[in-house]
Amino acid sequence: MMKIIVTVGPKCNDQKSLKEFSKKTNLFRLNGSHGTLEWHRKTVKLIRKVCPEAFILMDIPGIKPRTNNFEDIFIEKEQEVVFGVPSKNEKRLTIGLTKKIPIHDKNLSYFSVNDGQFAFDVVDFGEEYIIGRSRSSFKLLKKKGINLPNSIYDEVQQYKIYKGFLDKILDIDIDGLGLSFVQTGDLVDQIRNVAPNLLLVAKIENLEGFRNCIDIINQSDAVMIDRGDLAAEIGFDRLFDSINYISDQTKANGKPLIMATENLETMLDRELPSKSEVISIAHSVSIGVDCFMLSEETATAESGPQIVSWLYKFLENCNRVNKPKASSAVENKFPVIWHSLASLDQRIPIVLVTKSGYALYEYFSTIPEGEAFLVTNNSNLLKLCDLYANNITIIQEEIGNSPSEIIWDLVEANKGLLFKKHNQIAVLYVSKYVKTARANSITIFDQKDFCP
């Protein structure tokens, strides 16, 4: 079943709310762009108290500039507003930014705030500011992001921002990091060197990230499509195709896929979602989304528990129809293994014995809707299973360098579980671990061989 990631915010960082959420999910997210570090520390401890088995994802504040207003500001239609550091003697409304504006097309005609919701026509810009004329009257809430379409962010500066934040939170008991505005796989690798024990969820949300998404997906543990920033950065006319492409590449690599932003935003003010949201969720299900992330729906809404309950019931009745792709981007050392596995009777349980997790990725790349037993002692891999919609039964076991010598003992010790639904199982493993080893052996075991 598809899963729900709940964003914890000021409306739900209490024991009662978290306990209610934990009845439907064990996936929680904190947004590092909001709240103090002390608030996050206390909230993580509370989540662990209420739900000890929780998977906690922390979004690192990214390089995207945000408005630094601490009060709501009403902006009139046609009003000219300066964002950033103004020139001297500027008399127009000026709103500061938390980060420098990114490199952008000099012919830029418009930009937006609040995930593309409110647009401005460009009047003028400089290195430290951009001036826009508002296309509508609206209330600008606190600390909202500003997007300049087709812009490119300074990755050196981006790493410094990530590293600086990580140095402050590595003592917090979290499981994964949400990496905002990832533009290359190299950045993911750099962060992995800093935080090797945390899962890395790459957020693809601008044009440069979209262009390099195959490399980013390959280097990440999981992928999040942030539809709000992505739409604002590449344009609404390209949003649908880009979502489908990112999904195809993610599932071709056998990685978990998360859909974020405005999944059920209308439920902030109403009891039921809009028809468009229902169709959007169903589309996400059909392209292989594993998790739906709720943001304001739980962080700032009084009705968060009701929203989570509605989505949970809806997903219970949804069937994933994601199919294997024509070609996989996963590098198979022994491709015949995976072709053979796909041709087996689908009723036969599959047992994946893996240290690194490549077998898990390649299995779901070949059989996106598959179920599996996973034998591993890799702590990151055990956490990653929480993000898959697929049914994965974990057998936590230390894997030696020559698994072929211990497979029989493994099956014998777990025969009641492994043969519960079928009298045969297929075990896929590396017969001997050497440098760059990949799964290279399939053995079919019959229940009668383990009867006394």
Side-chain angles (χ1 to χ4, degrees), residues 76-83 87 90 92-93 101 104-112 119-126 129-135 146 148:
E76 300 277 1
K77 183 178 180 179
E78 301 294 332
Q79 183 177 358
E80 292 187 1
V81 181
V82 181
F83 291 91
S87 56
E90 178 60 65
R92 287 169 289 196
L93 172 64
I101 60 173
H104 59 277
D105 187 342
K106 301 305 179 185
N107 296 316
L108 184 71
S109 62
Y110 79 97
F111 63 94
S112 63
F120 291 79
D121 292 311
V122 174
V123 175
D124 191 17
F125 61 82
Y129 68 90
I130 187 166
I131 302 172
R133 184 180 297 108
S134 180
R135 293 180 180 178
I146 179 171
L148 281 61

Side-chain angles (χ1 to χ4, degrees), residues 312-433:
Y312 184 87
K313 290 178 182 177
F314 182 82
L315 295 177
E316 271 189 315
N317 297 311
C318 282
N319 294 316
R320 298 174 82 204
V321 294
N322 187 239
K323 301 298 181 185
K325 307 306 171 189
S327 62
S328 170
V330 176
E331 179 185 354
N332 289 321
K333 190 171 182 180
F334 300 100
V336 70
I337 288 285
W338 304 102
H339 295 153
S340 300
L341 202 63
S343 67
L344 289 176
D345 184 338
Q346 294 302 300
R347 295 174 300 169
I348 296 179
I350 304 299
V351 182
L352 305 174
V353 182
T354 178
K355 282 185 175 182
S356 63
Y358 282 108
L360 190 69
Y361 296 143
E362 295 186 9
Y363 174 64
F364 287 135
S365 169
T366 307
I367 309 173
E369 301 310 310
E371 299 182 355
F373 290 93
L374 177 66
V375 181
T376 190
N377 206 34
N378 181 325
S379 59
N380 274 4
L381 197 53
L382 295 172
K383 296 176 189 175
L384 185 65
C385 289
D386 280 336
L387 299 181
Y388 280 102
N390 306 72
N391 184 18
I392 304 171
T393 302
I394 295 172
I395 299 175
Q396 194 166 347
E397 188 83 32
E398 183 67 41
I399 308 301
N401 283 331
S402 299
S404 58
E405 299 174 7
I406 64 170
I407 293 297
W408 280 87
D409 292 339
L410 175 73
V411 176
E412 173 68 35
N414 296 278
K415 61 185 179 182
L417 177 65
L418 296 175
F419 294 110
K420 187 175 182 179
K421 293 184 178 180
H422 201 275
N423 59 8
Q424 290 184 324
I425 59 173
V427 181
L428 185 129
Y429 58 99
V430 181
S431 58
K432 185 175 180 64
Y433 280 96

Side-chain angles (χ1 to χ4, degrees), residues 244-263:
N244 283 338
Y245 183 78
I246 296 168
S247 169
D248 282 353
Q249 296 304 320
T250 302
K251 305 319 289 184
N253 277 272
K255 304 288 180 78
L257 178 63
I258 302 166
M259 187 65 73
T261 314
E262 299 173 3
N263 281 304

Side-chain angles (χ1 to χ4, degrees), residues 3-7 27-32 55-60 66 115 162 176-183 188 199-206 209-210 213 216-231 239 242-247 249-251 255-263 284 287-295 384 387:
K3 298 178 179 179
I4 302 169
I5 301 177
V6 167
T7 298
L27 307 179
F28 297 88
R29 174 232 183 191
L30 300 172
N31 189 345
F55 179 100
I56 301 177
L57 177 71
M58 169 78 83
D59 269 15
I60 301 180
R66 290 178 174 272
D115 288 337
Y162 285 171
L177 296 172
L179 306 181
S180 300
F181 280 82
V182 176
Q183 297 178 123
V188 180
L199 292 182
L200 303 184
V201 179
K203 299 172 68 176
I204 298 177
E205 46 192 345
N206 76 334
F210 177 65
C213 72
I216 293 170
I217 292 165
N218 187 50
Q219 300 303 321
S220 305
D221 297 304
V223 173
M224 181 186 296
I225 301 177
D226 188 319
R227 299 183 299 184
D229 283 312
L230 186 61
L239 180 63
S242 67
I243 286 175
N244 283 338
Y245 183 78
I246 296 168
S247 169
Q249 296 304 320
T250 302
K251 305 319 289 184
K255 304 288 180 78
L257 178 63
I258 302 166
M259 187 65 73
T261 314
E262 299 173 3
N263 281 304
S284 295
I287 61 175
V289 166
D290 293 273
C291 303
F292 289 88
M293 193 176 84
L294 299 178
S295 300
L384 185 65
L387 299 181

Side-chain angles (χ1 to χ4, degrees), residues 182-196:
V182 176
Q183 297 178 123
T184 68
D186 287 341
L187 181 62
V188 180
D189 284 341
Q190 291 179 60
I191 299 302
R192 195 177 299 282
N193 290 332
V194 179

Side-chain angles (χ1 to χ4, degrees), residues 1-66:
M1 176 179 163
M2 286 69 64
K3 298 178 179 179
I4 302 169
I5 301 177
V6 167
T7 298
V8 181
K11 289 294 183 181
C12 62
N13 65 326
D14 60 90
Q15 189 164 332
K16 180 180 178 182
S17 297
L18 294 174
K19 185 172 290 187
E20 193 66 27
F21 289 145
S22 67
K23 295 176 183 178
K24 307 297 183 185
T25 183
N26 71 322
L27 307 179
F28 297 88
R29 174 232 183 191
L30 300 172
N31 189 345
S33 295
H34 300 282
T36 64
L37 288 177
E38 186 57 31
W39 183 91
H40 287 297
R41 286 191 176 90
K42 289 181 179 179
T43 301
V44 167
K45 289 179 181 178
L46 184 57
I47 293 172
R48 293 292 181 207
K49 179 180 178 181
V50 172
C51 185
E53 72 281 8
F55 179 100
I56 301 177
L57 177 71
M58 169 78 83
D59 269 15
I60 301 180
I63 197 168
K64 180 182 74 170
R66 290 178 174 272

Side-chain angles (χ1 to χ4, degrees), residues 433-451:
Y433 280 96
V434 293
K435 188 176 181 181
T436 70
R438 293 290 186 273
N440 56 23
S441 302
I442 297 178
T443 302
I444 307 297
F445 293 91
D446 197 291
Q447 185 178 19
K448 64 184 180 182
D449 295 328
F450 297 88
C451 294

